[in-house]
Structures are given as structure tokens and as C-alpha cells.
């Protein structure tokens, strides 16, 4: 895992704890310096999901087979696309976790 800046330092984010989060290298590299993205449904730009301030289950859900993250809100949909949360590596790993009975989590 890597320490990730929710608001990137390049956009004025701080090193204070409330701006930091743990992310895997892949997610962190997809996030880059993004702090907002386009909702694919409405075309509006919205802030990316903030795990410090927002509840995962309000903005996301697992697909029936447990391998894909679905956006439930503008923020969720934009974050799924911007962070490529359903990239082939992550989906392939989740498929193995489902087979092993470890996934999806039952609470968030
Ligand atoms: Zn990740």
C-alpha cells in the first residue's frame, strides 16, 4: 500500500492526516493528481469519492458476481471511471477472491 493524498499536493492538498489515505499502487497510479472527474451519466464534473468523509456503500455497490464496482451516485460513477476501479487486473484478482470465498465483503 502507498500513502495517497486525497487532494493532491499539486492542487494544494496538505500532508495532514485528514488528507491522507492508504491506496494500492495501482489505484494510486490511476488517481494521479485527479480530484474530480466527469460523471459518465450526466457529463457533469464532480469531486472524486473521499474515503475520509463519505460512506462507500452510499456511492458504490458490487456487481452480482462480486467482480465489478458499480457507481450508485454521480460521485461513485465518476470515481469508478477516473480510478479505473474495474481494470482487468483488479477484476481478475476479485474473480479469484470470489472463488476462494473472500469476496465481496459483507459490510462496508
Ligand atoms: Zn487498489
Amino acid at each position: 500500500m502507498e500513502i495517497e493524498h486525497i487532494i493532491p499536493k499539486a492542487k494544494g492538498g496538505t500532508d495532514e492526516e485528514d488528507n491522507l489515505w492508504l491506496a494500492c499502487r495501482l489505484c494510486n497510479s490511476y488517481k494521479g493528481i485527479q480530484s474530480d472527474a466527469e460523471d459518465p451519466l450526466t457529463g457533469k464534473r464532480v469531486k472524486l469519492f473521499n474515503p475520509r468523509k463519505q460512506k462507500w456503500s452510499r456511492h458504490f455497490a458490487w456487481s452480482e458476481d462480486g467482480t465489478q464496482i458499480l457507481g450508485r451516485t454521480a460521485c461513485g460513477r465518476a470515481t469508478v471511471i477516473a480510478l479505473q476501479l474495474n481494470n482487468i487486473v483488479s477484476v481478475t484478482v476479485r474473480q479469484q477472491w470470489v472463488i476462494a470465498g473472500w469476496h465481496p465483503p459483507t459490510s462496508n
Side-chain angles (χ1 to χ4, degrees):
M1 300 293 257
E2 299 178 341
I3 295 177
E4 188 274 311
H5 289 80
I6 296 168
I7 306 290
K9 290 187 83 167
K11 292 187 176 172
T14 70
D15 289 327
E16 297 298 313
E17 190 176 341
D18 67 356
N19 191 43
L20 302 177
W21 193 253
L22 282 175
C24 76
R25 173 168 292 233
L26 195 60
C27 290
N28 203 11
S29 69
Y30 284 136
K31 181 172 182 289
I33 61 160
Q34 300 177 92
S35 55
D36 57 63
E38 188 177 299
D39 170 12
L41 198 63
T42 64
K44 286 172 67 175
R45 285 201 84 79
V46 294
K47 285 188 173 175
L48 295 179
F49 178 70
N50 182 332
R52 289 267 183 205
K53 296 183 176 162
Q54 294 171 294
K55 192 169 165 59
W56 194 94
S57 58
R58 178 171 142 60
H59 296 279
F60 305 99
W62 290 106
S63 62
E64 194 121 335
D65 70 359
T67 65
Q68 305 264 331
I69 298 177
L70 311 174
R72 303 179 66 184
T73 62
C75 168
R77 290 186 297 267
T79 302
V80 166
I81 301 291
L83 273 61
Q84 303 187 40
L85 296 180
N86 295 315
N87 66 76
I88 187 70
V89 173
S90 295
V91 169
T92 302
V93 168
R94 290 175 199 142
Q95 285 168 344
Q96 299 307 309
W97 290 348
V98 168
I99 290 167
W102 302 338
H103 192 77
T106 51
S107 64
N108 292 293

